[in-house]
């Protein structure tokens, strides 16, 4: 595998694990403030992020490369209200989309069509993750100031259930 593509993919394992860590911190914030549905939503998101890390790790192994696990930075965000984690989540997903695009561009530059095909799933996934994050921000702005509205949102997020992502389900 091209050195740059390898390095970006291996770094992405760390970035996805950091995302899991970040979303666990969001879940803690909501749990500590009595919003168990929001906490559930982010606990599941953290599971999905760990899955994303595993998908990159599997791809490296399937291509005879070593996965090198690096230290995960501490998530250290402070929140003043229930909207702030949601806005931070949307900004983070946009950042991750940029990372995936960079890997894609590096693969494209060396005609690594296998890597590009592999990354297609992540490109679609990022679209979905940005859509979800953006709609959570809008819903909080629309309904979150009213206690009944906030209660209903919390119930809705409580209903989210974990599903194994398709690239892991095939293993
Ligand atoms: Fe792994 Fe939220 O992107």
């Amino acid at each position: 595998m091209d050195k740059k593509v390898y390095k970006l993919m291996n770094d992405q394992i760390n970035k996805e694990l950091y995302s899991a860590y970040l979303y666990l911190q969001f879940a803690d914030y909501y749990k500590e403030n009595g919003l168990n549905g929001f906490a559930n939503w982010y606990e599941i998101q953290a599971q999905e992020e760990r899955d994303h890390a595993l998908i990159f790790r599997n791809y490296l192994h399937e291509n005879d490369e070593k996965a090198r696990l690096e230290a995960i930075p501490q998530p250290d965000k402070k929140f003043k209200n229930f909207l702030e984690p949601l806005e931070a989540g949307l900004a983070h997903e946009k950042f991750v989309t940029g990372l995936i695009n960079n890997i894609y561009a590096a693969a494209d530059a060396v005609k690594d069509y296998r890597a590009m095909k592999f990354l297609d799933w992540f490109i679609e996934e990022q679209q979905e993750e940005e859509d979800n994050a953006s709609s959570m921000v809008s819903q909080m702005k629309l309904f979150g100031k009213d206690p009944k509205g906030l209660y209903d949102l919390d119930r809705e997020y409580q209903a989210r259930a974990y599903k194994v992502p398709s690239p892991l389900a095939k293993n």
Side-chain angles (χ1 to χ4, degrees):
M1 191 183 291
D2 172 75
K3 275 196 175 62
K4 183 173 177 190
V5 175
Y6 167 76
K7 177 161 185 354
L8 290 173
M9 285 217 187
N10 194 70
D11 285 352
Q12 196 64 26
I13 295 175
N14 185 271
K15 299 287 194 290
E16 301 289 349
L17 290 173
Y18 172 75
S19 301
Y21 228 33
L22 181 70
Y23 291 142
L24 269 187
Q25 195 205 18
F26 291 11
D28 286 344
Y29 167 75
Y30 286 117
K31 206 172 254 298
E32 287 155 14
N33 283 282
L35 289 174
N36 290 339
F38 282 82
N40 172 64
W41 200 95
Y42 277 113
E43 280 164 13
I44 290 170
Q45 192 57 35
Q47 273 181 286
E48 283 201 359
E49 299 300 351
R50 179 180 174 276
D51 288 345
H52 295 170
L54 293 179
I55 295 166
F56 276 103
R57 172 179 169 268
N58 288 350
Y59 182 82
L60 292 183
H61 286 162
E62 282 163 8
N63 286 278
D64 286 331
E65 298 285 355
K66 287 193 167 62
R68 217 185 114 85
L69 300 178
E70 308 281 352
I72 305 166
Q74 180 184 28
D76 57 357
K77 295 205 183 307
K78 303 270 183 285
F79 305 117
K80 290 194 286 295
N81 57 57
F82 298 143
L83 178 62
E84 283 189 358
L86 307 178
E87 290 183 324
L90 177 57
H92 184 69
E93 287 306 327
K94 287 184 176 172
F95 167 70
V96 173
T97 297
L99 297 175
I100 299 291
N101 287 347
N102 282 346
I103 310 174
Y104 196 94
D108 191 19
V110 294
K111 294 188 165 56
D112 186 344
Y113 300 118
R114 185 189 301 162
M116 289 160 75
K117 192 164 183 298
F118 164 75
L119 289 164
D120 279 344
W121 184 86
F122 280 96
I123 288 168
E124 280 183 31
E125 178 72 4
Q126 281 311 119
Q127 165 98 65
E128 194 185 312
E129 301 224 330
E130 281 189 40
D131 281 353
N132 287 339
S134 170
S135 104
M136 288 175 90
V137 168
S138 310
Q139 288 189 319
M140 180 59 89
K141 284 183 177 166
L142 280 171
F143 310 118
K145 288 194 191 77
D146 167 55
K148 173 74 169 80
L150 187 61
Y151 177 79
D152 286 345
L153 280 180
D154 196 55
R155 297 261 311 226
E156 183 183 326
Y157 298 144
Q158 185 72 57
R160 183 181 186 189
Y162 172 73
K163 257 179 52 198
V164 181
S166 56
L168 279 188
K170 71 181 170 61
N171 283 322

